[in-house]
Structures are given as C-alpha cells and as structure tokens.
Amino acid sequence: MKIFEDCGNTDIEGVDSTNACYGGTAALFNCVNWVESSSWDGRYGLIVSTDSAVYAEGPARPTGGAGAVAMLIGPDAPIAFESKFRASHMSHAYDFYKPDLASEYPVVDGKLSQTCYLMALDSCYMGYCKKYEKLQGKQFSMADADYFVFHSPYNKLVQKSFARLVFDDVARNASSVDESAKEKLGPFTSLKGDESYQSRDLEKASQQVAKPEYDKKVQPGTLVPKQLGNMYTASLYAAFASLVHNKSTTLDGKRVMMFSYGSGLTATMFSLHLTEGKSPFSLPNIAKVMSIDHKLKTRTKFEPEKFVELMHVMEHRYGGKDYVTSKDTSQLAPGTYYLTHVDLKYRRYYAKKEEIKVANGH
C-alpha cells in the first residue's frame, strides 16, 4: 500500500490469496469476476503473483526458483477469458505442504504429487470438454486449441502432462485422433485408475506420440520456467509470458489452454482467446515491455557454494526480527524495492534503488 499511498491513492480493495501454487490463479479469478460483476466501477484490477520456491538440501533443491508476474485486468484486452468453459478439481491430499511455520521448506511426497497433478489434469480436462460440448453443441479435442500452457514444477512434468492429454483424447475416442495414435495408445485404455498413472510404458508411448504437437503447441511456453525453475504461484503465468514473448506477432485469433495446479490440492483448466489488441495493450508491445531476453541475459551467476551460504542466512532470518539486511544493491536492477531491516516488533521496512536518470534523450 505504501506505493499507492505515495501517489495519493487509498481507494483500493484487495486481498492476499495464499493457496499453494494456485494462489495466483485464485487472485486472477477474483479480479476477473469483479470486472465482470455489477460491482465493477471501471477501474483496472491488478494481480501480483509471486513466490520464492526454496527447498531443504537434497534432490529437490535444484528445481527451486523465484519469480513475479503482474497482470492488469480490464475491458477490451488482447487476452480474453473464455470463462464459461472453465473446469476445476479440488480434493484433499498431502502431496506437498508446509506444516512447520517456522521453516520455509515444504514437506514433499514427490511421487504422490506427480500422481495428484496428472489426476487433477485428467479431471479438469474432462470437465472442460463437457462444458464446451454442452455450450457449443460439438465435441472438443486438443485440435481445437493452438497452445497449451502448464504450471511447471519442472519441465519433464510438462512433457508428461501434454502427453497425458493426448492419451485422454484417445481414451475418449475424440474424432481428431489419428489412426497411428489409436494404434499406439489404444491398448493402454484398459488400465484402471492408478495403473495408468504408474505405467512407464504408457508414459513413454504417449510422449512419443505427442512429441510433434508438443514442439508446436507447448515448447513456446517453456522458456522462462526452464531458465528460472519452479516459481510456485508465478509459474503458470511466467510460462504464458514465454508464449507471448516467443509468438507475440502470430497469436491473433488463437486459443490458449491454461492448466493451474496447487498442492493440497486445487486445479483449474481454463482457456484464453487472443487478439492483436490496440496500443499500448497490444501483444507485441506487451512482449516488448516484458523484455524477457534482456532480463534473462542480465542475471548474475553464483556458484552453488555461494547459494548454499545465502540459504543458510535465509534459514536463520526466516520469521525473525531485529536485523538489518546488506546495504549492497549492486546486484539489483534500478527501480527495485528491497528490504532494509526488520525491527523488534517484526515491522518490515523497504527502500527503492534509484532509477537510472536519462539526460538529453540518451
């Protein structure tokens, strides 16, 4: 609020959404619902979806990452929601959770989490197809979407997820499925429940069948998640930002399928319809302002030992009070807000690194 207050703007409504990796999607839907409601008064909505995904020492640590994505919600946007086709799945699962509030590290059941993810994906896709078919009066299949964007804990799961949807279309005998796919994946449709999630043979066969379409429909949305690792709430939207970055001039009229997942578990599949848009809210201009290439190229490289050292500092300070942070801002981009200190009453104070002043048009 300090940022808004400094501009004299206090007539604001908002809420923090904390819901595992799904929190950003929950906030996004709340914002869209507001703009579509009788309560809307013409103002823009703003979502900031951000997380730091850190893990205790062990095999999960290298998948961690951090990111933030801001989304502006308003009328006549180039990115439009097909809200009526949205399908969700919620159930109770201890696949990934944070029971120790004194630690930022989660308890992770990796195998269960992957199964939960794929199970929720199946459920959401089937629900989406049913809603589409009910409202449109015709069958939906993967051929009716131009791109697919997934919550990305790690890219291998994204590959498995797209392949799973290909298998789903074979299992439901979608009219768009070719004979080759039916021949290769048809024998696996007799597998029951968990059997299909655990079958390595099905996983391998479906990924082989899906590979050509994966390269066209999924690969363009994998750049940032591959480069940054897991970002929790920002993950899906960083992937979507990758798609806009890579294809901004050819997205007019395209449908993008989005799959959001949060452990515990909550998941939603929804779709977006894209148009070129008008300045300043055109897709090419959005891609230009995001400046993803520049941001990736200007990152600072640290050795693993240095990262471990910084993690130890984080562990010591997490939930702590009465400390001052480093005054070294050399690694921060101009305009970045950063924490300066936390006082005895746990109050947090921030400063902003000065912007680079532009003189004489240079």
Side-chain angles (χ1 to χ4, degrees), residues 75-362:
D76 305 317
I79 302 165
F81 288 79
E82 297 184 309
S83 300
K84 292 180 180 178
F85 301 148
R86 182 191 307 169
S88 296
H89 177 91
M90 297 184 82
S91 59
H92 181 75
Y94 282 109
D95 61 323
F96 176 115
Y97 54 107
K98 294 185 176 181
D100 181 4
L101 299 183
S103 171
E104 196 171 5
Y105 298 139
V107 173
V108 184
D109 185 334
K111 188 175 181 182
L112 175 61
S113 193
Q114 179 177 295
T115 299
C116 287
Y117 185 106
L118 295 174
M119 179 200 69
L121 177 68
D122 280 352
S123 177
C124 288
Y125 184 58
M126 295 306 175
Y128 183 98
C129 290
K130 285 179 182 177
K131 289 186 180 181
Y132 182 94
E133 288 157 15
K134 181 179 179 181
L135 292 166
Q136 298 295 103
K138 58 183 179 180
Q139 187 184 59
F140 181 88
S141 74
M142 294 175 70
D144 293 303
D146 300 285
Y147 295 99
F148 289 78
V149 180
F150 298 88
H151 170 65
S152 310
Y154 51 95
N155 192 252
K156 189 69 175 175
L157 186 55
V158 173
Q159 295 172 33
K160 292 178 181 178
S161 298
F162 185 73
R164 184 75 192 184
L165 294 181
V166 171
F167 174 66
D168 285 343
D169 268 4
V170 170
R172 56 194 283 268
N173 199 26
S175 58
S176 62
V177 176
D178 61 38
E179 290 303 318
S180 174
K182 289 180 182 177
E183 183 181 328
K184 292 174 182 175
L185 300 181
F188 296 102
T189 58
S190 60
L191 293 176
K192 304 293 184 192
D194 274 357
E195 289 180 336
S196 70
Y197 299 122
Q198 308 306 330
S199 173
R200 291 293 179 88
D201 291 336
L202 168 58
E203 183 182 299
K204 184 178 179 181
S206 59
Q207 287 189 57
Q208 286 176 343
V209 171
K211 183 68 166 65
E213 288 293 285
Y214 175 90
D215 290 342
K216 289 190 294 184
K217 294 188 172 185
V218 185
Q219 184 74 23
T222 62
L223 172 64
V224 177
K226 279 182 177 178
Q227 289 288 316
L228 298 192
N230 197 355
M231 290 163 275
Y232 293 164
T233 63
S235 178
L236 175 66
Y237 303 101
F240 179 64
S242 303
L243 173 62
V244 174
H245 164 75
N246 280 318
K247 299 288 184 179
S248 63
T249 59
T250 59
L251 290 174
D252 187 41
K254 305 299 185 185
R255 171 181 283 141
V256 181
M257 302 294 291
M258 306 279 285
F259 179 66
S260 181
Y261 178 86
S263 292
L265 61 87
T266 305
T268 298
M269 180 169 282
F270 60 103
S271 55
L272 304 171
H273 183 263
L274 307 186
T275 53
E276 286 184 351
K278 298 177 181 179
S279 182
F281 302 122
S282 68
L283 292 177
N285 197 48
I286 290 172
K288 180 182 177 182
V289 169
M290 289 193 299
S291 189
I292 285 176
D293 271 344
H294 173 72
K295 288 172 182 173
L296 291 176
K297 287 175 183 174
T298 53
R299 290 178 294 170
T300 301
K301 184 176 181 179
F302 283 99
E303 295 302 317
E305 292 79 9
K306 179 65 175 177
F307 178 72
V308 171
E309 179 187 322
L310 292 172
M311 292 297 284
H312 286 154
V313 173
M314 186 278 300
E315 290 165 11
H316 176 69
R317 287 182 174 170
Y318 185 71
K321 63 178 179 178
D322 192 24
Y323 66 85
V324 177
T325 64
S326 167
K327 294 292 187 268
D328 179 13
T329 63
S330 60
Q331 307 289 350
L332 302 179
T336 299
Y337 289 87
Y338 60 95
L339 181 70
T340 58
H341 69 283
V342 180
D343 70 13
L344 281 166
K345 292 186 176 181
Y346 296 94
R347 291 175 296 194
R348 302 167 71 85
Y349 297 87
Y350 297 85
K352 182 182 179 182
K353 183 174 179 178
E354 286 190 19
E355 306 270 8
I356 297 174
K357 290 184 169 58
V358 179
N360 300 322
H362 296 291

